[in-house]
Amino acid sequence: MKKILLAGAALLAVSVGPVLADDVPGGALAPGMQLAQMPPPPMASPAMAWSGCYVGLNGGGAFANSTFRWTNILEAPTAFAPGAATVLPAAANKTLSDSGFLGGGQAGCNFAALPSIVLGFEGDFDGVSLSTSRSATSLGNTNGGPATIVPGAIREKFSQNWFSTARARVGYATGSLLFYGTGGLAISNASFFDQVCFGPTAAVPSCNTKSTGSTRVGWTAGAGLEWLLNPAWSVKLEYLYANLGSTASQSVAVVTATGVTVPAATINHNHTLDDNIVRVGFNYHFAPPPPPPAPMAQMAPPPAAPVVFIVFFDWDKDSITPEGMQIVQQAASAYKSGAPVQIQVTGYTDRSGSAGYNQRLSERRANNVAKAMAALGVPREQMMVSGHGENDNRVPTADGVREPQNRRVEIVKS
């Protein structure tokens, strides 16, 4: 059957050149062709479930600590009474603490760095209500001070009403849970008030008063746990410690009765501020950009189509005609034009003689063509030479019919 198909293709190019195998029918695969196997798409990693940007709200508690330190207190004769440098710091150097509600919003983005590692960035802004104060009276000779320090009053206060951070996040994802550490900048406002007043029995009744307010920039670090409720929503529990640094200011004594300053009667005021924050947040996750489409299955290239050259012979002859020699030359040139391939040289006859005689005639015809090919530079070991006698007719006929199309040698380059 295969020879019949090849012979049918060769009928289109008798003595004019090579015949190529038929094209692949539309929508069908040729023999030997198969669909290229695409690797299965990779399974989504835990980190990929967290990739993308988000916005959300948060709320919780803030716990603040602020230290007050008074230094560089000059005593008589040009400033405070003797003993002030001991008594005033002992009464004023305290830590003020307060706690309150904190709430606001956040926004950020996550990126899958490794199958379970998530990198991200988050910024937030929260309102907070923290404010506390203290007073100390009847300094006199308390705190180990001498009687020359007359009764007076100290007042100290700090307040904080907003808090913001800009932080990096590094997390480990496992299923719907993300454990993360975080750190970066902390920014907040802070106001401080310091005052000491000496009563009317003092040698020079006066007050040292200083009020400062500024935006503080420091650092923050913490950790958290976030749970992905579904692809769009998550809830988190987070702890942050924020150190907002220290500030320094100076107060000058002002005489109560006259408003005149006493330049030498100064006090340096130093304040620190740090916050501990525990909060719960809810985030809405925007859908990440769709992944690139999976590569479409492509058909593997078909094997090289066989090329068939047909040399026809006269009745009962095994010699190559001039026309046939032209076909042999074309076949030899085709072989030498590319990489060495297998050449099949097969002889055939018509059905006008006996089967035995026709078998021997077909073999002589095939061998003569092989010799001609070898003379033109085709290695003999690259040729498979055989005869099929009166079998596999190009044109089916009855026994004894002299059919020119069946007297041939096929040279197949495959």
Side-chain angles (χ1 to χ4, degrees), residues 83-353:
T86 301
V87 173
L88 293 181
N93 291 357
K94 302 294 180 181
T95 297
L96 275 63
S97 301
D98 193 28
S99 61
F101 176 77
L102 169 143
Q106 69 272 343
C109 291
N110 292 320
F111 309 92
L114 293 172
S116 294
I117 302 300
V118 178
L119 301 181
F121 176 85
E122 182 174 286
D124 57 63
F125 186 91
D126 290 333
V128 61
S129 178
L130 297 173
S131 178
T132 189
S133 61
R134 66 178 288 268
S135 298
T137 60
S138 301
L139 296 180
N141 47 13
T142 61
N143 303 305
T148 51
I149 303 300
V150 299
I154 287 178
R155 294 177 59 207
E156 295 168 317
K157 178 181 179 179
F158 91 87
S159 63
Q160 184 181 2
N161 55 36
W162 60 266
F163 177 83
S164 180
T165 70
R167 296 170 286 109
R169 301 202 317 171
V170 179
Y172 177 79
T174 171
S176 60
L177 293 178
L178 177 67
F179 301 87
Y180 64 90
T182 183
L185 289 177
I187 308 169
S188 181
N189 75 313
S191 298
F192 301 93
F193 178 81
D194 298 82
Q195 185 181 65
V196 59
C197 290
F198 300 94
T201 59
V204 181
S206 62
C207 290
N208 280 58
T209 304
K210 187 63 178 179
S211 180
T212 59
S214 63
T215 297
R216 310 287 293 274
V217 178
W219 59 269
T220 183
L225 169 65
E226 191 164 359
W227 180 27
L228 197 64
L229 303 174
N230 56 51
W233 290 97
S234 67
V235 60
K236 70 175 181 177
L237 175 64
E238 182 176 71
Y239 165 77
L240 293 178
Y241 169 77
N243 185 310
L244 294 163
S246 62
T247 60
S249 59
Q250 188 179 73
S251 65
V252 180
V254 178
V255 177
T256 304
T258 64
V260 176
T261 61
V262 183
T266 61
I267 303 174
N268 288 348
H269 305 279
N270 298 280
H271 310 96
T272 65
L273 178 62
D274 59 75
D275 291 331
N276 290 273
I277 294 170
V278 178
R279 60 189 177 183
V280 174
F282 294 89
N283 288 324
Y284 174 77
H285 296 258
F286 299 102
M296 296 182 62
Q298 298 180 357
M299 286 190 299
V307 183
V308 181
F309 300 85
I310 301 179
V311 180
F312 292 101
F313 288 80
D314 293 335
W315 181 76
D316 198 25
K317 301 293 182 182
D318 58 18
S319 57
I320 303 172
T321 66
E323 294 81 3
M325 184 57 68
Q326 293 178 4
I327 302 302
V328 172
Q329 291 171 347
Q330 291 180 25
S333 297
Y335 170 84
K336 292 185 287 185
S337 65
V341 294
Q342 187 71 54
I343 301 293
Q344 296 182 16
V345 180
T346 308
Y348 300 89
T349 68
D350 60 23
R351 304 189 65 184
S352 61

